[in-house]
């Protein structure tokens, strides 16, 4: 029983030196990574293989290669090799065994480009690094823990979370771009463009392996499987739910595949709350993680109800103005939640949020109440296709 091998299998890696240089947090803060996350995925892939084999035995004939299916159950040594693969050993993020196997079994690795994709991916990292150093110097996080900070006027306290989240994003952009570059340098995660690979999951379309080095070299490849951050879309997407999609993308795939889909409810908001709760636990036991992650479902419910109740009633110009306001509030919500993520302790997080009167919580509750009063539908029933995901033209987005 085979599988599509369109190139080296992939899994995005978070390269550790930049992360430790730019962050005081544990590598686990990047999300599920090697070890447990990989083995959860491997167990699922083995289960899929067993189910496919049973179906074949019941039907009496072989269907041929199935997209993403393992050829056989990995041995103990193969499992250990996958778990401790050098590409993602330090901080992950997540990669499937199927993509790891594709990488090892690439028939013509010399035909897979790496230098140009690496340079194309790496070029923003120095700028992001400089922006991190500048913003963290001008707006140090430690200031928020000092009593003098709370003597500042309310507008100053409100503003401060903006540069804190900006510095937070810049350091993670550097770490994740460097991680992706580590994968690209190893040819890890390359698939032909025709395979339409997804971050974390790998190819979504069957793509026959090239039969010669010449044919392999003629193919156009991408590294979408190991793409872990879409910096532009993270900053300029309109909705909270889209912001999660573009951040830590391979881990988002893991969470959606193994946590969200197995949640003990069918409600989108409650499934999201379940996923955020387990994600917070994975990060650690600091209360700030739980306060931040469990604010997300409230924001999701609020934006979903209010958007479905009001946006469709507006003119095209009104919808554009709505999207700009929505984007602004989305960014402020993430600024607010970031403070819990970086302050970590219950006392520090609640002290800061109280100093700005828990504004995002109350704003989200007000939006949720208004959306319910106006008859807004559940976020899970909204037609996302009619909603914009970014304020910028498609041609301006990241490659």
């Amino acid at each position: 029983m085979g599988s599509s091998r369109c190139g080296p299998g992939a899994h995005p890696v978070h390269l550790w030196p930049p992360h430790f240089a730019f962050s005081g947090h544990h590598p686990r803060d990047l999300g599920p990574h090697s070890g447990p996350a990989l083995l959860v995925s491997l167990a699922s892939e083995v289960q899929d293989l067993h189910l496919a084999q049973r179906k074949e035995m019941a039907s009496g004939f072989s269907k041929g290669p199935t997209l993403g299916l393992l050829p056989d159950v990995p041995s103990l040594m193969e499992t250990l090799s996958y778990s401790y693969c050098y590409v993602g050993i330090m901080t992950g993020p997540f990669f499937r065994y199927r993509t790891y196997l594709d990488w090892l079994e690439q028939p013509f690795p010399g035909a897979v480009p790496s230098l140009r994709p690496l340079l194309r991916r790496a070029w923003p990292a120095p700028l992001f690094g400089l922006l991190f150093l500048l913003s963290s110097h001008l707006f140090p996080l430690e200031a928020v823990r000092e009593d003098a900070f709370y003597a500042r006027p309310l507008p100053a306290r409100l503003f401060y979370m903006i540069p804190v989240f900006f510095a937070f994003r810049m350091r993670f952009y550097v770490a994740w771009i460097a991680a992706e570059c580590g994968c690209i340098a190893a040819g890890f995660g390359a698939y032909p463009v025709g395979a339409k690979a997804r971050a974390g999951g790998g190819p979504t379309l069957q793509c026959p392996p090239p039969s010669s080095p010449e044919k392999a070299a003629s193919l156009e490849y991408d590294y979408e499987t190991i793409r872990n951050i879409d910096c532009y879309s993270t900053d300029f997407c309109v909705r909270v739910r889209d912001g999660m999609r573009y951040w830590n993308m391979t881990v988002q795939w893991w969470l959606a595949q193994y946590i969200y889909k197995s949640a003990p409810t069918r409600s989108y908001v409650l499934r999201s709350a379940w996923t955020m709760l387990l994600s917070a636990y994975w990060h650690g036991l600091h209360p700030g993680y739980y306060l931040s992650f469990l604010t997300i479902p409230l924001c999701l419910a609020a934006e979903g109800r209010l958007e479905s109740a009001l946006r469709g009633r507006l003119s095209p110009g009104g919808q554009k103005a709505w999207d700009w306001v929505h984007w602004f509030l989305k960014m402020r919500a993430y600024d607010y939640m970031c403070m819990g993520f970086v302050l970590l302790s219950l006392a520090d997080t609640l002290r800061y949020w109280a100093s700005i009167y828990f504004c995002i919580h109350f704003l989200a509750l007000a939006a949720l109440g208004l959306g319910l009063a106006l008859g807004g539908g559940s976020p899970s029933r909204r037609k996302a296709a009619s909603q914009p995901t970014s304020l910028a033209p498609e041609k301006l987005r990241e490659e």
Side-chain angles (χ1 to χ4, degrees):
M1 180 124 343
S3 175
S4 167
R5 283 189 208 107
C6 307
H11 160 289
V13 55
H14 300 322
L15 200 62
W16 56 268
H19 173 64
F20 289 128
F22 289 97
S23 169
H25 296 306
H26 191 279
R28 184 169 42 223
D29 295 343
L30 293 170
H33 54 292
S34 21
L38 300 185
L39 295 180
V40 167
S41 173
L42 178 56
S44 178
E45 292 184 83
V46 170
Q47 182 183 42
D48 290 342
L49 173 61
H50 287 323
L51 290 174
Q53 289 173 337
R54 290 194 194 106
K55 287 181 180 179
E56 277 194 7
M57 291 176 64
S59 63
F61 64 91
S62 174
K63 295 182 179 179
T66 302
L67 182 65
L69 202 64
L70 299 182
D72 48 45
V73 178
S75 67
L76 175 61
M77 185 57 68
E78 289 169 333
T79 300
L80 291 173
S81 297
Y82 165 60
S83 300
Y84 293 97
C85 175
Y86 75 92
V87 175
I89 186 70
M90 292 303 297
T91 55
F94 161 80
F95 55 96
R96 300 176 63 216
Y97 186 82
R98 175 69 263 178
T99 50
Y100 163 76
L101 192 62
D102 287 341
W103 175 56
L104 294 180
E105 295 183 351
Q106 164 60 244
F108 307 108
V112 177
S114 60
L115 180 59
R116 287 186 179 180
L118 187 152
L119 295 176
R120 188 164 58 243
R121 188 60 181 137
W123 76 264
L127 174 61
F128 292 150
L130 289 174
L131 289 173
F132 163 75
L133 293 172
L134 179 62
S135 57
S136 60
H137 175 72
L138 295 175
F139 302 94
L141 176 64
E142 286 305 311
V144 183
R145 295 189 172 98
E146 298 171 357
D147 293 339
F149 177 84
Y150 296 95
R152 300 182 186 186
L154 176 61
R157 298 196 303 271
L158 272 170
F159 171 78
Y160 208 86
M161 64 184 183
I162 298 176
V164 167
F165 182 47
F166 179 82
F168 180 87
R169 296 200 310 279
M170 293 304 107
R171 77 166 181 238
F172 274 83
Y173 289 171
V174 172
W176 281 330
I177 288 174
E180 291 180 36
C181 288
C183 292
I184 294 170
F188 192 80
Y191 285 96
V193 171
K196 295 190 180 299
R198 289 186 305 171
T204 59
L205 296 177
Q206 289 279 11
C207 182
S211 56
S212 67
E214 292 75 20
K215 288 186 178 180
S218 68
L219 293 173
E220 182 181 356
Y221 294 86
D222 65 36
Y223 286 86
E224 286 301 310
T225 303
I226 57 134
R227 183 169 187 153
N228 208 48
I229 186 68
D230 184 336
C231 305
Y232 195 89
S233 294
T234 295
D235 281 6
F236 291 101
C237 66
V238 172
R239 297 176 298 181
V240 172
R241 66 185 299 178
D242 294 322
M244 294 191 299
R245 182 180 305 158
Y246 298 120
W247 175 270
N248 208 359
M249 294 163 69
T250 60
V251 171
Q252 293 299 333
W253 185 91
W254 186 92
L255 289 169
Q257 194 75 13
Y258 304 114
I259 305 300
Y260 179 86
K261 290 183 179 180
S262 64
T265 177
R266 297 190 65 81
S267 163
Y268 169 72
V269 171
L270 293 180
R271 279 184 164 192
S272 298
W274 170 256
T275 305
M276 293 301 102
L277 176 63
L278 293 181
S279 182
Y281 174 72
W282 200 293
H283 280 78
L285 298 178
H286 294 291
Y289 292 145
Y290 295 85
L291 292 170
S292 296
F293 277 114
L294 294 178
T295 300
I296 291 176
L298 173 61
C299 294
L300 293 174
E303 75 171 3
R305 293 283 184 177
L306 193 59
E307 185 178 57
S308 63
L310 287 179
R311 189 179 184 277
R313 303 179 185 181
L314 302 176
S315 66
Q319 290 185 359
K320 184 173 285 291
W322 172 281
D323 293 338
W324 277 105
V325 173
H326 194 166
W327 166 81
F328 178 83
L329 293 176
K330 181 262 307 187
M331 293 302 295
R332 302 296 74 78
Y334 277 123
D335 294 338
Y336 181 87
M337 290 182 282
C338 175
M339 296 305 291
F341 201 91
V342 296
L343 290 172
L344 297 178
S345 76
L346 180 67
D348 287 341
T349 302
L350 292 181
R351 186 185 189 191
Y352 176 76
W353 282 356
S355 78
I356 57 174
Y357 303 102
F358 296 95
C359 57
I360 295 299
H361 283 103
F362 284 116
L363 181 61
L365 287 170
L368 178 59
L370 180 59
L372 289 170
L374 296 174
S378 168
S380 61
R381 295 197 297 268
R382 288 185 303 120
K383 295 182 179 178
S386 64
Q387 309 298 337
T389 59
S390 174
L391 294 170
E394 184 70 29
K395 66 182 180 180
L396 293 181
R397 298 187 194 175
E398 276 187 290
E399 291 187 353

